[in-house]
Amino acid sequence: IKKMTLSLKHRGPDNTGIWIDRDNSIALGHQRLSILDLTAAGNQPMEFSDCKFVISFNGEIYNHVEIRKEIVRNSKKKINWSSNTDTETLIRAFEMWGTKETLKKCSGMFSIALWDKSRKVLTLARDRFGEKPLYFGWVNNNFVFASELKAIKKVESFQNSICKKALSQYLRVNYVPSPLSIYENIFKLLPGTFLEINNSIKNINQIKLNKYWPIENLIQKV
């Protein structure tokens, strides 16, 4: 996980954070680019003793101040905010409204990894238009995810072969269309989509992709 995380240091040079739960075989790594709240209070992966989630979040939530105010208005308990980051706003929002409703409220660019400590479920989510990248899949029967393929290739004994279907598409249209990647068993999460996975899921056919914001929403407004 350290090798995977450090391979993305060019994306976030300000802090390296790693969180590991060996009992549940889950690890999160994060390279931080400090934008909102430059203090250590904004370091990731982020968790709080009174919250069931751990989050690693890449991007920016443009309306996080409004979301934070809504959380304060609706919370049944006093929240002692630790930072001014949109990351903390997100983790509190997921606690209050759940995955789909929180994502529907978010205006911004992001890729999110969210671990639910009580349900033992990992959620991956991507912004409406896919501005922030997010790859996921299997290497040696281990589920992995990262912002770039180079991080996934740092997994020990990575030997995933070139995906012939993806290569064919690349030669035809000069890019690899989602959800394919250039490697077998590694995929790109579709924009406006989130997935949930636990230890019982072993392949892509068992994963349900959940649309929280279909492109039709924009077409209707136009």
Side-chain angles (χ1 to χ4, degrees):
I1 189 67
K2 186 175 182 180
K3 290 179 180 178
M4 291 178 70
T5 304
L6 289 175
S7 73
L8 300 175
K9 193 169 184 177
H10 62 287
R11 302 273 306 275
D14 298 322
N15 180 261
T16 300
I18 293 174
W19 177 89
I20 299 174
D21 179 351
R22 288 181 172 83
D23 291 338
N24 291 291
S25 301
I26 174 76
L28 303 176
H30 189 87
Q31 287 294 151
R32 185 186 179 196
L33 176 63
S34 303
I35 298 177
L36 299 177
D37 193 334
L38 306 185
T39 71
N43 289 345
Q44 298 185 54
M46 183 179 287
E47 68 172 328
F48 300 99
S49 59
D50 62 341
C51 180
K52 67 177 182 176
F53 294 115
V54 184
I55 191 171
S56 179
F57 154 64
N58 170 37
E60 185 175 356
I61 306 300
Y62 305 139
N63 62 333
H64 94 93
V65 174
E66 289 77 13
I67 292 175
R68 183 174 287 214
K69 290 177 180 177
E70 188 176 353
I71 292 171
V72 172
R73 287 196 304 269
N74 291 280
S75 180
K76 296 180 180 179
K77 62 181 180 179
K78 182 181 179 181
I79 298 176
N80 296 314
W81 298 98
S82 301
S83 71
N84 295 315
T85 64
D86 46 0
T87 310
E88 185 175 2
T89 303
L90 267 180
I91 198 171
R92 297 295 184 182
F94 283 122
E95 182 86 356
M96 176 169 285
W97 295 303
T99 303
K100 190 170 185 177
E101 291 306 310
T102 295
L103 292 172
K104 287 166 67 175
K105 291 177 183 289
C106 291
S107 173
M109 53 179 182
F110 55 82
S111 58
I112 298 170
L114 186 74
W115 172 247
D116 187 324
K117 292 182 286 187
S118 61
R119 294 174 58 218
K120 315 300 182 188
V121 170
L122 175 70
T123 299
L124 300 181
R126 197 172 177 201
D127 62 70
R128 297 175 183 182
F129 291 100
E131 290 185 67
K132 290 297 183 180
L134 187 54
Y135 294 88
F136 71 92
W138 285 264
V139 177
N140 300 326
N141 295 318
N142 294 311
F143 183 81
V144 297
F145 60 93
S147 294
E148 295 187 22
L149 288 172
K150 66 169 61 178
I152 291 176
K153 291 176 68 177
K154 291 294 183 180
V155 177
E156 187 174 353
S157 301
F158 176 89
Q159 294 181 342
N160 295 45
S161 58
I162 296 295
C163 175
K164 294 181 179 179
K165 183 177 180 180
L167 180 60
S168 174
Q169 290 292 315
Y170 179 79
L171 293 174
R172 290 179 60 194
V173 297
N174 207 31
Y175 77 102
V176 177
S178 298
L180 299 175
S181 86
I182 197 64
Y183 293 108
E184 290 282 359
N185 293 321
I186 304 295
F187 307 92
K188 289 180 282 190
L189 186 62
L190 294 169
T193 300
F194 71 94
L195 65 81
E196 295 182 327
I197 186 169
N198 57 37
N199 283 332
S200 67
I201 294 176
K202 301 300 182 183
N203 60 66
I204 188 65
N205 295 323
Q206 295 176 296
I207 289 182
K208 178 183 177 182
L209 296 178
N210 303 279
K211 274 281 186 182
Y212 69 87
W213 192 87
I215 191 66
E216 289 78 12
N217 287 3
L218 179 63
I219 297 173
Q220 290 172 4
K221 289 182 180 180
V222 173

